[in-house]
Amino acid sequence: MRLEQFPSPGAAWLRATMLVCLLTLTACVGISGRELGLLGSTLSPNKVDFVELNAYAGRAKAAYAGEAAIRSRYPATVRVSAPGKTDAQYFLEQDDRAKVQYIAIRGTANRKNLLEDVEMRIREDLSLAIPVHIGFDATARVLYADMKPYLKKNYTTYITGHSLGGAIAALLAIHMTDDGYKVDKVVTFGQPKFTTARGVEKLGFLTLVRVVDENDIIPMLPPTTIVNRLYGIYEHAGPEIILLEGPRYVYLPKHDADRLSVGELGRSLDFADLKDHHIDNYLRRLSDKIAGAVEVTYNERERYVAKKEIAGN
């Protein structure tokens, strides 16, 4: 079942699930007004290539399609597979002339996968030496084992994924780098968190760019306010691009949004909708910025957030 096939109560179910998360908070991570002013009031010198991001998003969407459709759109595809019982599909392209390979991983395809997104158990991955989300890591390992016979170590690798597929893409990149593959870039869309602050400290080598929609709640999960006694708080790695209405966007060079958006989880519950998480929504947001994008500061973003009516109000 795809997200677009979810019955209308899906959004209410998601809000209820998030409410449970909020009611079980074990600690709060605060931020002072002075810190908020400093972190959220500056523009970044980094230029964002929205044509490139759109190409990554196109592959992330294609990962939801059947094999024939994938091979038709991406003729260089050498492998399409959904191994084991993971219900996670990926496809692998290889350009032998340019010596590059692209991996795209399907995201949340059904309610079981969505539950995996919000599940919070974590363990130490002994080979990676970082704390990892149990479900994401297990799936990443199954996919890696399946694709490994087809991968070429002397090729430059680019990886993308949406939702659950984004978290798997990041973990896959870590495993591949550890095995000597050259992973040039990972671009994810609507990706939930897969490690803790302790893990992020060790991931300076990972070239990860995370793209999130203004009202997509999945990237906020598991909440920063959930604290594991052994491994600390869940945290994102890499810079974040927040897609706003029309041509506007926010760029956070370092993911201070974990601290900035503690209060945002509660606000976003009012607007939680599976449509905001859908890859088609990301493609629409990106296409709005190709002709000319306008960066705004984090503190300005509320002026450009599309307000929604809450069902039943």
Side-chain angles (χ1 to χ4, degrees):
M1 180 184 288
R2 302 283 170 80
L3 278 177
E4 64 267 26
Q5 296 174 306
F6 278 169
S8 56
W13 170 84
L14 179 57
R15 285 196 295 272
T17 303
M18 298 306 99
L19 183 58
V20 171
C21 291
L22 286 176
L23 292 175
T24 57
L25 300 183
T26 56
C28 276
V29 180
I31 182 168
S32 70
R34 181 175 180 276
E35 286 179 298
L36 176 61
L38 291 173
L39 294 174
S41 63
T42 58
L43 296 176
S44 169
N46 294 274
K47 298 298 181 183
V48 178
D49 186 341
F50 283 97
V51 173
E52 179 187 49
L53 291 181
N54 192 63
Y56 276 102
R59 285 184 167 86
K61 178 178 179 178
Y64 285 95
E67 181 169 355
I70 291 172
R71 290 185 180 275
S72 175
R73 182 168 180 182
Y74 299 100
T77 297
V78 297
R79 177 72 169 169
V80 180
S81 180
K85 299 180 180 179
T86 63
D87 196 36
Q89 177 173 277
Y90 75 90
F91 69 93
L92 168 66
E93 301 169 74
Q94 289 173 337
D95 183 333
D96 295 326
R97 179 174 297 180
K99 293 190 180 301
V100 298
Q101 53 193 357
Y102 298 89
I103 302 168
I105 304 169
R106 183 172 70 191
T108 307
N110 56 38
R111 197 174 295 264
K112 174 181 178 292
N113 289 162
L114 195 58
L115 281 169
E116 201 168 278
D117 284 352
V118 301
E119 191 262 348
M120 300 172 195
R121 287 183 299 159
I122 197 164
R123 68 171 174 81
E124 185 88 11
D125 185 297
L126 297 180
S127 63
L128 300 180
I130 63 170
V132 291
H133 182 291
I134 289 176
F136 299 160
D137 188 47
T139 303
R141 286 176 173 277
V142 171
L143 265 62
Y144 187 32
D146 184 84
M147 71 177 70
K148 202 166 184 178
Y150 303 90
L151 294 171
K152 296 186 178 180
K153 192 162 282 189
N154 62 325
Y155 281 27
T156 301
T157 305
Y158 301 90
I159 311 176
T160 190
H162 165 250
S163 188
L164 168 69
I168 294 169
L171 284 162
L172 177 63
I174 299 169
H175 284 293
M176 290 182 66
T177 301
D178 193 51
D179 283 348
Y181 291 90
K182 180 185 176 183
V183 179
D184 192 74
K185 184 182 287 187
V186 184
V187 179
T188 68
F189 303 90
Q191 173 213 310
K193 302 167 192 176
F194 65 86
T195 188
T196 66
R198 204 175 94 189
V200 170
E201 289 178 358
K202 300 180 180 181
L203 296 178
F205 64 88
L206 184 63
T207 307
L208 170 64
V209 176
R210 293 177 303 97
V211 182
V212 305
D213 176 82
E214 58 183 7
N215 284 325
D216 186 357
I217 200 169
I218 296 299
M220 299 181 192
L221 302 177
T224 302
T225 44
I226 295 294
V227 180
N228 181 284
R229 187 174 61 182
L230 292 177
Y231 305 122
I233 61 172
Y234 271 96
E235 189 172 294
H236 273 303
E240 178 176 279
I241 298 168
I242 304 173
L243 304 179
L244 303 174
E245 276 289 292
R248 295 175 178 84
Y249 71 97
V250 175
Y251 185 96
L252 295 174
K254 183 180 179 182
H255 190 67
D256 293 308
D258 269 319
R259 298 161 66 205
L260 292 171
S261 64
V262 168
E264 289 299 292
L265 183 58
R267 181 190 72 83
S268 295
L269 284 171
D270 290 339
F271 303 108
D273 192 323
L274 291 177
K275 292 179 181 177
D276 294 318
H277 184 58
H278 201 288
I279 187 61
D280 282 344
N281 183 58
Y282 279 86
L283 284 162
R284 179 178 64 82
R285 291 277 195 224
L286 291 168
S287 67
D288 288 344
K289 295 160 182 58
I290 289 176
V294 178
E295 183 184 359
V296 299
T297 67
Y298 186 85
N299 289 346
E300 291 179 291
R301 78 199 184 288
E302 286 292 341
R303 294 167 55 188
Y304 308 106
V305 171
K307 301 300 181 184
K308 299 181 181 181
E309 292 296 327
I310 304 173
N313 284 4

